Amino acid sequence: MECEDRCHHAPGPRYDCLLFDLDDTLYPLSSGLAAECRKNIGEYMVQKLGIEDSKITDLCNLLYKVYGTTMAGLRAIGYYFDYDDYHSFVHGRLPYEKLNPDPVLRSLLLSLPLRKVIFTNADEIHATKVLKALGLEDCFERVICFETLNPTHKNISPDNEGDSEVGGLKLTTPTVKPFDIFGHFSQPDSGSVLPKTPIVCKPSEAAIERALEIANINPKRTMFFDDSVRNIQSGKRVGLHTVLVGTSQRTKGADFALESIHNIREALPELWEVEEKSEKVYSGKVAIETTVTA
């Protein structure tokens, strides 16, 4: 029987890149770093921005819900501050000693025959410290962090009259009254427009798309690991395959759910499978089949 004068290629591996969140994804929430981070954010808002202590919890929760991070929300409603100073205060005082080297995760990551990239809202110094503490600093191709998506990251007040010092701490307050975000939601018919943030971060779909562009990542061939349901859902909307980490309950937008990142091999063995593809090479009217490993 005559063979068609063309080649047939079996499909290759489904994935070629793994995109990982950092905090509470590569290490468990039980480490306590998240709680310390929240505490530091509150103290920054009181000590550096002059916000009343009684408003901190509710304001943090609302800004996080609306803008993805408290930092992005603070900038949106009118607070100006140096981003490096914020990160130094919020992350620089974290108890990194609570994180221990994770040789099991290191072995799993190094055995994965795929590109591996970190995507975090945190700053570069924090990401470097966390990866070093976990013993994973050489397991990833690159780190996409706050500075990657926000390269112009100096945002001090444009009007020095808004600056003052109290007890050696520089307070940077808005030169105009901050946007009343509580009033905005308590009076939905007031006609006020929710201000946008200049900060680019997850769970913004634009932020995820920008990160993919920077790292030259094809979302359709990438698996995204994150502990945030919102981040996972945004990732799904831009075409990523998604894995919710920190729970075994799969939610809307998550293709998979892992109680721990250590369960990755049990739940997703296909990531380690080197698929074989048959490539039919035709010479004249005789088909020669060779097997090539992908």
Side-chain angles (χ1 to χ4, degrees), residues 45-61:
M45 292 165 68
V46 172
Q47 296 179 29
K48 296 289 191 91
L49 302 183
I51 300 173
E52 292 178 28
D53 186 57
S54 60
K55 297 180 179 179
I56 296 300
T57 299
D58 288 341
L59 184 57
C60 282
N61 289 339

Side-chain angles (χ1 to χ4, degrees), residues 3 7 33 37 71 75 78 93 150-151 174 214 227 238 260 286 293:
C3 299
C7 294
L33 256 65
C37 190
M71 181 185 190
R75 281 292 286 112
R93 305 186 305 159
N150 301 274
I214 289 172
D227 66 292
V238 303
S260 164
V286 180
T293 57

Side-chain angles (χ1 to χ4, degrees), residues 26-264:
L26 294 187
Y27 62 86
L29 180 64
S30 59
S31 70
L33 256 65
E36 291 292 329
C37 190
R38 286 193 296 271
K39 175 174 173 289
N40 291 346
I41 290 172
E43 291 181 359
Y44 184 89
M45 292 165 68
V46 172
Q47 296 179 29
K48 296 289 191 91
L49 302 183
I51 300 173
E52 292 178 28
D53 186 57
S54 60
K55 297 180 179 179
I56 296 300
T57 299
D58 288 341
L59 184 57
C60 282
N61 289 339
L62 185 55
L63 294 179
Y64 179 83
K65 179 180 179 180
V66 175
Y67 293 100
T69 68
T70 304
M71 181 185 190
L74 287 169
R75 281 292 286 112
I77 64 174
Y79 286 94
Y80 294 86
F81 47 87
D82 183 289
Y83 292 173
D84 288 343
D85 182 60
Y86 179 92
H87 287 304
S88 177
F89 192 101
V90 171
H91 292 137
R93 305 186 305 159
L94 290 176
Y96 292 103
E97 65 275 8
K98 289 188 176 183
L99 299 178
N100 298 310
D102 192 337
V104 173
L105 180 55
R106 175 180 172 81
S107 178
L108 285 169
L109 291 171
L110 292 178
S111 68
L112 280 161
L114 302 165
R115 293 179 65 196
K116 293 173 285 291
V117 175
I118 292 289
F119 180 23
T120 175
N121 281 336
D123 61 297
E124 183 179 7
I125 292 175
H126 171 73
T128 299
K129 287 182 177 180
V130 169
L131 291 174
K132 183 176 181 180
L134 295 174
L136 307 176
E137 61 266 46
D138 59 344
C139 293
F140 300 93
E141 175 185 306
R142 70 174 299 169
V143 175
I144 298 173
C145 58
F146 178 85
E147 292 90 341
T148 312
L149 299 184
N150 301 274
T152 304
H153 56 278
K154 296 288 183 182
N155 276 269
I156 57 176
S157 171
D159 185 345
N160 290 332
E161 292 181 1
D163 296 345
S164 61
E165 286 196 13
V166 177
L169 288 171
K170 186 175 183 179
L171 306 181
T172 306
T173 55
T175 54
V176 296
K177 187 177 181 180
F179 178 79
D180 183 8
I181 193 167
F182 291 113
H184 173 83
F185 285 103
S186 65
Q187 300 175 11
D189 299 325
S190 65
S192 65
V193 178
L194 196 65
K196 294 183 179 180
T197 181
I199 291 178
V200 181
C201 63
K202 294 182 287 184
S204 161
E205 291 175 37
I208 298 175
E209 289 173 339
R210 179 62 180 144
L212 298 177
E213 179 185 5
I214 289 172
N216 191 27
I217 293 172
N218 178 357
K220 297 185 183 302
R221 294 178 59 78
T222 300
M223 187 163 278
F224 176 43
F225 298 79
D226 203 299
D227 66 292
S228 165
V229 173
R230 290 189 304 168
N231 292 349
I232 285 294
Q233 291 174 341
S234 293
K236 190 64 180 175
R237 286 193 292 270
V238 303
L240 291 162
H241 301 273
T242 54
V243 183
L244 181 62
V245 180
T247 177
S248 57
Q249 302 301 312
R250 190 165 64 88
T251 61
K252 181 180 179 181
D255 296 313
F256 303 92
L258 302 178
E259 185 72 36
S260 164
I261 195 66
H262 289 96
N263 303 134
I264 184 172

Side-chain angles (χ1 to χ4, degrees), residues 259-278:
E259 185 72 36
S260 164
I261 195 66
H262 289 96
N263 303 134
I264 184 172
R265 188 154 199 165
E266 302 163 60
L268 301 164
E270 63 268 28
L271 297 180
W272 278 264
E273 294 173 2
V274 179
E275 297 186 9
E276 289 190 346
K277 62 181 180 181
S278 294

